[in-house]
Amino acid sequence: MQAQVTRAAIGAVGIDIVEVSDVEDALARFGERYVARVYTRAELGAASGASQGRRLAAVAALKEAALKALAPGDEAADWRSIEVETGAAGGPRISLRGGLAQLAERHGILALRGTVGLSRSHALAVVVAETAA
Amino acid sequence: MSLGRRAENGARGALESMGAIADSSSGMVEEIRDILRPHARLAVDVEALSPAADLFEAGMTSHSSVVVMLALEEHFDVHFPDEMLTREVFRSIDSIGRAITDLRGRAAV
């Protein structure tokens, strides 16, 4: 039996850096209003605990890097339309909903692959958009 | 009131109703600057920025733009709907002013 191989090419690349202190300040200043506009319930659940600010900074950096790879132009971009699972085996898993999912389909994007580096002070994320070869 | 002044006021009112002047009033510009100062994390002095200057080029990140939006909502008692979460809306003091004027207009209807 011959294995079926799906060939993919790298399309656009997005990169972003987020300061952990910016996320911590936003959490302290705006609380629920901030998290409700940026993160999904699953992301919040995964980021609970003492290092919530750092974990959410990683999520925010991945979301923004994904947005840059998607290049929505002046289309409205709801951050909650991008869901990031940072604890997934093999690296962060990025899924799209709503208008951004449609945009990815129009651009022939098969998947978004991301990686994130996290220090005490910063989260740095890179996301590549995979298209059909 | 003279006819000339009346015509001038009429034209001004028409422009204001389109959101073309109200957003650039010095009062609103200063209020927006007051919000940008602590929240936009700009790489330059906010006082040095013209109302038309590009805030993203001045160092505002997308994350900071969300924080700016939350502060604007609180200060001006408005709500930015999802369809207004675009880079164009948050690109400059002028574009933010236009958006707030638009949102206030919607709330008044």
Side-chain angles (χ1 to χ4, degrees), chain A residues 21-31 34, chain B residues 41 63 67 70:
Chain A
S21 63
D22 282 358
V23 172
E24 289 172 339
D25 288 350
L27 283 168
R29 174 69 178 80
F30 297 105
Y34 166 68
Chain B
R41 310 286 171 115
H63 183 268
V67 175
L70 294 169

Side-chain angles (χ1 to χ4, degrees), chain B residues 10-107:
Chain B
R12 183 179 175 84
L15 283 170
E16 279 183 346
S17 70
M18 291 187 292
I21 283 185
D23 58 274
S24 60
S25 69
S26 59
M28 184 179 281
V29 166
E30 286 314 308
E31 285 179 81
I32 294 169
R33 279 191 210 277
D34 288 344
I35 287 166
L36 291 174
R37 202 171 292 115
H39 297 298
R41 310 286 171 115
L42 298 177
V44 299
D45 184 356
V46 71
E47 311 304 333
L49 288 174
S50 76
D54 191 312
L55 297 173
F56 293 103
E57 284 185 10
M60 184 169 74
T61 65
S62 294
H63 183 268
S64 296
S65 74
V66 173
V67 175
V68 165
M69 176 198 71
L70 294 169
L72 290 166
E73 286 186 340
E74 201 171 83
H75 181 83
F76 291 103
D77 193 23
V78 294
H79 174 75
F80 282 86
D82 290 345
E83 70 267 19
M84 288 181 78
L85 303 181
T86 69
R87 283 178 80 86
E88 279 313 303
V89 167
F90 295 94
R91 187 167 298 283
S92 67
I93 292 171
D94 270 347
S95 62
I96 290 171
R98 278 195 295 276
I100 290 166
T101 302
D102 179 21
L103 290 170
R104 283 176 159 176
R106 292 186 200 185

Side-chain angles (χ1 to χ4, degrees), chain A:
Chain A
M1 192 173 99
Q2 197 171 10
Q4 194 173 12
V5 178
T6 303
R7 300 188 63 185
I10 291 176
V13 178
I15 184 168
D16 193 59
I17 185 166
V18 171
E19 284 188 49
V20 173
S21 63
D22 282 358
V23 172
E24 289 172 339
D25 288 350
L27 283 168
R29 174 69 178 80
F30 297 105
E32 178 57 30
R33 286 183 58 230
Y34 166 68
V35 296
R37 296 302 281 266
V38 178
Y39 307 99
T40 67
R41 279 188 189 175
E43 289 164 347
L44 281 173
S48 60
S51 56
Q52 186 186 39
R54 287 180 73 239
R55 289 167 191 252
L56 290 181
V59 171
L62 281 160
K63 282 173 183 260
E64 179 56 21
L67 269 178
K68 287 175 178 169
L70 288 166
D74 200 36
E75 284 189 44
D78 181 354
W79 284 47
R80 294 157 302 178
S81 296
I82 304 170
E83 185 162 85
V84 172
E85 189 186 345
T86 50
R93 192 170 296 152
I94 302 167
S95 52
L96 302 173
R97 300 183 186 134
L100 289 179
Q102 292 167 10
L103 176 73
E105 196 174 336
R106 285 202 304 277
H107 288 189
I109 294 170
L110 303 174
L112 294 172
R113 310 275 179 204
T115 186
V116 62
L118 188 56
S119 74
R120 276 189 304 179
S121 58
H122 290 83
L124 174 68
V126 176
V127 170
V128 297
E130 271 186 11
T131 57

